[in-house]
């Protein structure tokens, strides 16, 4: 366990000091830049292929349609705002990739200094209420102040007896889209099971919903297999893809001789029909 309370694979690099910073600039410098953290390009592509078309079909901005919304393919008329949850969201780079359609390079540029990072240099592609959930209060505070998150829950998800965890379960039931990228490896299997079951049940009125998750390689491979079993217990599989994640740190390369890149297996799943 790291000194922030996050459970980590001991062969995986810890970045605890970055997550207590008040802005994402150190995260950008030491992770996005130094380790070629390209995975958000692939997260966006997977989201665009399997989730965005559905989200566009069920949402609309009403009769007063903005130019950016029209350019994104929206039509005026009745629709709904979706609930989007970024689980273990940190500073929100993958929300930027999926909801704002930003590339790896665009995120790096947006977070390149303490001034630019204060606002997001893009617009949301679909009408959503975004909830960020993370153990890092500074990261969530940044996300709220920059407009990435509309709501935030700060909690250690491996402590399941708290009021915050009960709130997380309610948010999962109401979610239309759940995002959890490079994150499930940090959670207990019991936590994953509880969260995924809450999402799968979909509250009192079960509705359509999608999950985008990914699994890291070569870290905690056995746990990744157990996590896949949990996902398939509650949800229907939609599609998958294997990609690069980021370069491995020097410590990680010593622990995994001959390996230069950490890899990802991306999955999209959806709620089962009633």
């Amino acid at each position: 366990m790291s000194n922030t309370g996050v459970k980590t694979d001991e062969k995986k690099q810890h970045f605890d000091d970055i997550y207590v910073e008040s802005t994402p600039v150190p995260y950008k410098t030491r992770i996005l830049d130094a380790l070629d953290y390209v995975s958000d390009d692939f997260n966006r592509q997977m989201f665009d292929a399997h989730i965005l078309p559905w989200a566009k079909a069920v949402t609309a901005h009403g009769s007063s349609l903005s130019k950016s919304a029209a350019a994104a393919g929206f039509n005026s008329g009745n629709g709904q705002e979706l609930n989007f949850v970024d689980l273990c969201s940190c500073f929100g780079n993958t929300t930027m990739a999926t909801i704002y359609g930003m590339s790896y390079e665009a995120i790096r540029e947006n977070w390149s200094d303490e001034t630019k990072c204060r606002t997001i240099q893009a617009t949301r592609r679909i009408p959503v209420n975004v909830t960020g959930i993370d153990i890092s209060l500074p990261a969530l505070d940044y996300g709220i102040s920059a407009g990435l998150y509309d709501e935030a829950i700060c909690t250690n998800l491996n402590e399941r007896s708290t009021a915050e965890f009960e709130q997380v379960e309610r948010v999962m039931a109401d979610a239309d889209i759940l995002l959890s990228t490079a994150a499930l490896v940090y959670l207990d299997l019991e936590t994953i099971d509880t969260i995924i079951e809450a999402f799968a049940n979909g509250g009192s009125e079960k509705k359509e919903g999608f999950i985008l998750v990914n699994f890291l390689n070569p870290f905690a491979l056995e746990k990744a297999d157990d996590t896949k079993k949990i996902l398939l217990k509650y949800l229907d599989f939609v599609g998958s893809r294997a990609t690069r994640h980021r370069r491995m740190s020097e410590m990680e390369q010593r622990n995994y001789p001959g390996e230069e890149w950490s890899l990802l297996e991306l999955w999209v799943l959806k709620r089962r029909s009633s």
Side-chain angles (χ1 to χ4, degrees):
M1 181 179 290
S2 71
N3 58 22
T4 59
V6 177
K7 289 188 176 182
T8 55
D9 184 330
E10 292 306 314
K11 291 184 177 182
K12 185 179 181 297
Q13 185 75 49
H14 299 172
F15 299 100
D16 298 344
D17 56 318
I18 296 175
Y19 301 133
V20 298
E21 296 284 350
S22 61
T23 76
V25 175
Y27 180 95
K28 177 261 182 188
T29 302
R30 291 180 50 198
I31 298 181
L32 299 189
D33 291 352
L35 299 178
D36 291 334
Y37 194 101
V38 296
S39 61
D40 277 324
D41 279 342
F42 305 117
N43 290 322
R44 186 188 71 253
Q45 291 167 15
M46 198 71 174
F47 182 87
D48 288 2
H50 296 287
I51 300 176
L52 185 61
W54 165 81
K56 284 185 175 182
V58 299
T59 59
H61 283 231
S63 59
S64 180
L65 199 67
S66 69
K67 289 183 180 179
S68 62
F74 296 117
N75 297 313
S76 60
N78 296 325
Q80 67 182 84
E81 182 180 67
L82 297 176
N83 292 320
F84 178 91
V85 179
D86 191 341
L87 184 69
C88 302
S89 56
C90 194
F91 289 101
N93 49 293
T94 310
T95 289
M96 294 167 76
T98 54
I99 295 302
Y100 291 79
M102 297 176 73
S103 67
Y104 164 65
E105 293 296 345
I107 296 168
R108 290 176 65 211
E109 173 60 26
N110 202 151
W111 285 356
S112 58
D113 63 47
E114 299 288 343
T115 301
K116 287 182 179 178
C117 75
R118 297 294 178 181
T119 56
I120 307 305
Q121 304 303 312
T123 56
R124 293 181 178 182
R125 300 188 288 171
I126 49 175
V128 287
N129 182 79
V130 179
T131 300
I133 301 174
D134 202 82
I135 198 171
S136 169
L137 183 59
L140 293 173
D141 285 345
Y142 163 78
I144 291 287
S145 67
L148 274 174
Y149 307 142
D150 302 297
E151 300 174 47
I153 304 173
C154 185
T155 186
N156 182 339
L157 290 164
N158 290 321
E159 295 178 358
R160 294 179 292 279
S161 61
T162 65
E164 288 81 8
F165 192 83
E166 291 181 5
Q167 184 182 3
V168 168
E169 290 185 84
R170 291 192 296 271
V171 167
M172 290 299 156
D174 289 337
D176 299 288
I177 303 171
L178 172 58
L179 175 74
S180 187
T181 54
L184 294 180
V185 67
Y186 301 119
L187 303 181
D188 293 341
L189 291 173
E190 293 85 352
T191 293
I192 297 170
D193 192 289
T194 302
I195 286 173
I196 299 303
E197 182 180 20
F199 176 85
N201 289 338
S204 57
E205 294 184 10
K206 193 168 182 179
K207 53 186 178 178
E208 285 186 286
F210 288 82
I211 294 183
L212 171 59
V213 299
N214 57 37
F215 308 96
L216 302 178
N217 186 317
F219 311 114
L221 297 179
E222 212 172 287
K223 185 175 183 182
D225 288 342
D226 290 336
T227 300
K228 291 173 184 177
K229 292 175 184 177
I230 292 171
L231 291 165
L232 294 172
K233 179 169 69 171
Y234 295 112
L235 302 164
D236 286 338
F237 180 81
V238 174
S240 65
R241 180 183 181 186
T243 70
R244 287 180 171 182
H245 173 41
R246 62 164 172 80
R247 291 188 185 275
M248 299 177 77
S249 69
E250 290 184 6
M251 184 204 83
E252 291 167 341
Q253 290 186 49
R254 289 194 300 270
N255 289 329
Y256 297 94
E259 300 288 346
E260 182 181 355
W261 281 86
S262 154
L263 304 178
L264 282 181
E265 184 179 356
L266 296 90
W267 278 27
V268 172
L269 306 101
K270 65 179 181 179
R271 283 191 179 110
R272 290 180 178 146
S273 302
S274 300

